[in-house]
Amino acid sequence: MIKKYIFGQPLETGAVTQTIAACSQPLDLMQLSHTEEGVRLSCQMEPLDAVYGLGEQVRGINKRGFSYVSYATDDPFHTESRHALYSAHNFLILSRTSGDSFGIFIDDPGIVVFDVGETQMERLVIQAGKDCVIYTVEGNSLKDIVKQFRELVGRSYIAPKWAFGYQQSRWGYACAEDIRKVVQGYHGKNIPLDAVYMDIDYMEQFKDFTVDAEKFPDFADFVEEMRVQGIHLVPIIDAGVKIEEGYSVYEEGVQGDYFCKGEDETDFTGAVWPGRSHFPDVLNAGARAWFGGKYRVLIEQGIDGFWNDMNEPAIFYSEKNLKKVMDEIHSLKDQNLGLHEFYHMKGLVDGLSNSEEDYKSFYHNMDGVKIRHDRVHNLYGYHMTKAASEAFDQIAPDQRILLFSRSSYIGMHRYGGIWTGDNASWWSHLLLSIQQMPSLNMCGILYTGSDIGGFGGDATEDLLMRWLEFGIFTPLMRNHAAAGTREQEIYQFGHTEDFRNIIRIRYGLLPYLYSEFMKCALNNEMYFRPLAFDYPADTHAAQVEDQLMVGGSIMIAPVYRQNATGRYVYLPQDMLMVRMKSLEDRTCKVMEQGHHYVDIALNEVVIFVKKNHMLPVAVLDEDVKNISGVVAGRYEWIGFAEDAAEYVLYEDDGVSKKYTPQENWKKIVMTREELGMAVC
């Protein structure tokens, strides 16, 4: 049951697709009060109550014990002290031990604070603005609450099937020859690969929708050269448009009045990669259509995938703020800078980027209504990605195009996925990635993953191997690193054969992973789930923060500690443990419900299959190069059944949007005896 409550004069964010009548009765699930900041909600939490959700955030699966701020932030330091990351996902569930659990969604594109027992351990407090819409969701289980919410906000984006293959990226592939070397590195070691990414280096002076002709001569021919080898090229698109006479995107934006405005109605100027830039007013339908249409220039050269970045929007500095800071620093010249003076100067420089003052200094034209940016800040990345998706519907209406974003708000999940931003090569960030996945799925974001190996810092071989062993299961499986860090393409390391086996296991499991993803997308369900969602009566399951249910058949328990040769695993029921050192080298063992220590070698992938469930595993040729080598119907089966198990397999062409024809779905039933022969 969903109830809707309206406060003040809220903006239409586009988060919700269902029409829900406003409730005339008072909000009764939480205590409501009004403050100077706006609407305040609070309620008591019992000691064992858990809070799930909030999408992309720091800390664990259960969000109790900290405060979280929904305010899209360009911050690469994802430490436990951070209160906000790149996105705003204002949906959570209070899971009560008393049984009266509920979900709540705060549809407010400005700052929303969720104090989940930080100030007072026993209280959940939510502070929203004066103008917002609040939805409460009650259901008969945690999964039912999520399903209702997902139906409220609409079906999740579905990527093309090739985008479920292994993908390689790096900030620093500066020319066509660099990309050729990457492809040759993978093909030379016989490691499957489906995509290579093009970071800001491919552009002409970091200008959107341009390709540097010196670095990438005959770009369309190069795209075709890669396509023949089974490689998709995925370029980055940033939010800022460089101010430069003769640059057509800039000139069209000025002429069409498509950029965000300052208080004086001139185009707002901030700086990002290309220096002085304007920002498309993607909250305006006309500007959104114009900016989205710019993707055509790359699509017409054969590109079929994009990643949108820097779209919080990130601002290095504004001209106005820069001048003020430079003047103040100049005034300190020749002074004796003591402790306080030095840190004041340092703070001036650090405060230039993504300044609240800057976000309050420019405006949007939301189809005739002038809105200051900070009131709708969290919508910018969402609407940039919406601009691209709406354009794709016009440019290639029957084709799936890969699209994901750094910043998002609930509702963007209908138009693209996200990746979790600029993480680091830390073991703690591998665990963070594991813990973020179910919360993102709750908010509708199914096509997601983290930068495998870590974006910042130098990845060690063992960290990368363990991260890949988890990344096997994330829909977006992308290895990405920053310029200046250790090269972390997997052929750069010594244990190449082990890495190759891990990637081949991903491709072998794709019939299952893709089937489960499609079921969850089409049925508004979660692909990744905490154990507590599947085993609500099991008090031990509710305490597990580092294991996940993946689809309907399996549980995973990734290793995420340096030098670990195994880990403790909790089995909420009897399960079949499947060890894989390669796709072909598999062993199986039935394990009883309970706590176990499981040895897991560095080069080993372990999954746990639920009783009376099974999954398909593709039989791959030795030289499979990409997803085209996963041949429909050429499967073995792994399963665990008392009498028989069944599985609904989903297969489609991977490109078109024809998701629901009857022939896409195949129900397979196997007996215990048949599974015993096929199991390993």
Side-chain angles (χ1 to χ4, degrees), residues 256-520:
D257 211 21
Y258 294 136
F259 293 126
C260 296
K261 302 294 183 184
E263 181 68 44
D264 61 359
E265 294 298 322
T266 61
D267 293 332
F268 170 76
T269 299
V272 278
W273 300 116
R276 296 170 65 248
S277 303
H278 293 328
F279 295 84
D281 186 2
V282 289
L283 275 66
N284 176 274
R288 194 163 57 245
W290 165 74
F291 189 76
K294 296 289 107 183
Y295 288 77
R296 181 186 293 271
V297 69
L298 293 169
I299 292 173
E300 288 180 343
Q301 295 180 80
I303 295 297
D304 55 1
F306 299 89
W307 51 310
N308 287 343
D309 199 0
M310 304 292 285
N311 55 356
E312 292 73 33
I315 300 174
F316 292 170
Y317 62 85
S318 68
E319 285 188 321
K320 178 182 176 182
N321 205 11
L322 180 64
K323 183 180 186 306
K324 184 173 72 173
V325 168
M326 296 294 280
D327 288 345
E328 188 164 352
I329 290 176
H330 183 73
S331 72
L332 299 173
K333 185 179 179 181
D334 299 326
Q335 290 190 27
N336 179 17
L337 301 182
L339 173 68
H340 300 296
E341 293 82 5
F342 172 76
Y343 277 100
H344 172 65
M345 181 185 71
K346 188 174 183 293
L348 289 172
V349 176
D350 292 344
L352 279 171
S353 296
N354 309 312
S355 159
E356 281 190 38
E357 183 180 332
D358 286 340
Y359 288 139
K360 291 178 180 179
S361 70
F362 67 94
Y363 294 79
H364 299 275
N365 173 6
M366 288 189 71
D367 304 324
V369 179
K370 183 178 179 180
I371 301 291
R372 199 172 72 183
H373 173 79
D374 61 313
R375 288 191 59 203
V376 291
H377 173 74
N378 292 329
L379 295 181
Y380 194 88
Y382 162 17
H383 281 79
M384 179 182 172
T385 299
K386 181 180 179 181
S389 178
E390 290 176 336
F392 298 164
D393 288 341
Q394 300 297 316
I395 298 167
D398 298 321
Q399 179 185 353
R400 287 185 246 172
I401 294 178
L402 173 62
L403 180 63
F404 60 91
S405 171
R406 190 168 76 176
S407 185
S408 67
Y409 182 82
I410 285 177
M412 199 211 78
H413 69 282
R414 301 192 298 272
Y415 303 102
I418 72 165
W419 93 104
T420 58
D422 296 343
N423 60 2
S425 298
W426 300 343
W427 289 93
S428 62
H429 276 186
L430 168 53
L431 175 59
L432 178 61
S433 176
I434 294 165
Q435 293 173 330
Q436 286 175 327
M437 292 300 113
S439 298
L440 288 167
N441 280 197
M442 284 176 61
C443 297
I445 300 160
L446 296 185
Y447 189 80
T448 186
S450 62
D451 286 344
I452 291 173
F455 176 73
D458 295 331
T460 59
E461 188 166 3
D462 57 340
L463 172 61
L464 181 58
M465 196 171 295
R466 290 299 195 194
W467 210 318
L468 284 164
E469 288 164 2
F470 168 63
I472 283 173
F473 302 97
T474 58
L476 170 61
M477 189 184 188
R478 182 178 76 150
N479 178 338
H480 183 44
T485 64
R486 180 182 187 176
E487 294 180 331
Q488 64 185 47
E489 299 84 8
I490 59 179
Y491 58 80
Q492 305 277 9
F493 295 87
H495 292 81
T496 307
E497 190 62 23
D498 291 332
F499 282 114
R500 176 177 177 270
N501 287 335
I502 293 168
I503 303 303
R504 283 176 57 85
I505 290 171
R506 161 67 168 212
Y507 282 79
L509 291 177
L510 272 177
Y512 174 77
L513 301 176
Y514 186 69
S515 291
E516 296 305 300
F517 178 93
M518 293 301 296
K519 292 173 194 174
C520 293

Side-chain angles (χ1 to χ4, degrees), residues 527-547:
Y527 171 85
F528 286 113
R529 301 177 306 283
L531 271 60
F533 280 51
D534 283 36
Y535 303 94
D538 187 331
T539 55
H540 293 292
Q543 297 297 311
V544 176
E545 288 271 314
D546 56 0
Q547 300 172 207

Side-chain angles (χ1 to χ4, degrees), residues 508-512 578 580 582-586 588 614-620 630-639 647 649 668 670 674-675 677-680:
L509 291 177
L510 272 177
Y512 174 77
V578 183
M580 292 181 277
S582 71
L583 190 57
E584 296 77 22
D585 182 3
R586 307 195 297 261
C588 300
M614 61 184 193
L615 64 151
V617 180
V619 177
L620 302 181
V630 181
V631 180
R634 195 179 169 196
Y635 306 140
E636 296 175 341
W637 291 85
I638 295 176
Y647 186 76
L649 181 71
I668 293 95
M670 297 184 75
E674 290 172 318
L675 280 171
M677 296 176 63
V679 74
C680 286

Side-chain angles (χ1 to χ4, degrees), residues 592-605:
E592 293 182 349
Q593 183 272 339
H595 297 273
H596 303 266
Y597 183 84
V598 179
D599 293 314
I600 305 175
L602 181 59
N603 62 348
E604 218 170 23
V605 175

